[in-house]
Amino acid sequence: MAASGGARAERTMDVHIIAEDKPLWSGTATSVVVPTMEGYMGILPDHEPVLALVGEGVVTVTTDAQDKETFNVRAGFLSFEENTLTVGVDDIF
């Protein structure tokens, strides 16, 4: 008999945030919000594949431990495929 009321495991994705000259953060996350040229985009595990231009704003990563990591960015790109998100940024501030 299975135990009820236990914690439910959340789906996660691999996230890599990189600047031109160095990696900024890599890890496992349950969600990421990225400023795109079209407005803020939320990415969750199993999102459809997407490629977009990053605009100025704050990238917010919610880790699998429910911690928040934030990065102020000016421009770049994001790519999401097969539960791997890569955010490449030209400039951070």
Side-chain angles (χ1 to χ4, degrees):
M1 180 173 180
S4 62
R8 185 175 72 90
E10 287 195 66
R11 300 265 312 145
T12 60
M13 60 187 157
D14 293 324
V15 178
H16 307 281
I17 300 176
I18 55 176
E20 288 182 332
D21 58 343
K22 64 183 175 189
L24 298 175
W25 189 87
S26 287
T28 305
T30 57
S31 69
V32 179
V33 177
V34 182
T36 70
M37 301 304 274
E38 308 292 318
Y40 277 85
M41 176 184 288
I43 305 287
L44 298 171
D46 300 321
H47 194 284
E48 66 183 36
V50 64
L51 182 62
L53 293 175
V54 171
E56 185 171 330
V58 179
V59 174
T60 303
V61 178
T62 302
T63 70
D64 56 349
Q66 298 304 303
D67 294 325
K68 301 274 188 196
E69 300 285 341
T70 59
F71 305 90
N72 296 312
V73 301
R74 291 194 201 280
F77 73 93
L78 74 81
S79 172
F80 183 83
E81 188 171 23
E82 297 181 6
N83 275 336
T84 299
L85 175 66
T86 301
V87 180
V89 296
D90 297 335
D91 194 15
I92 58 172
F93 62 96

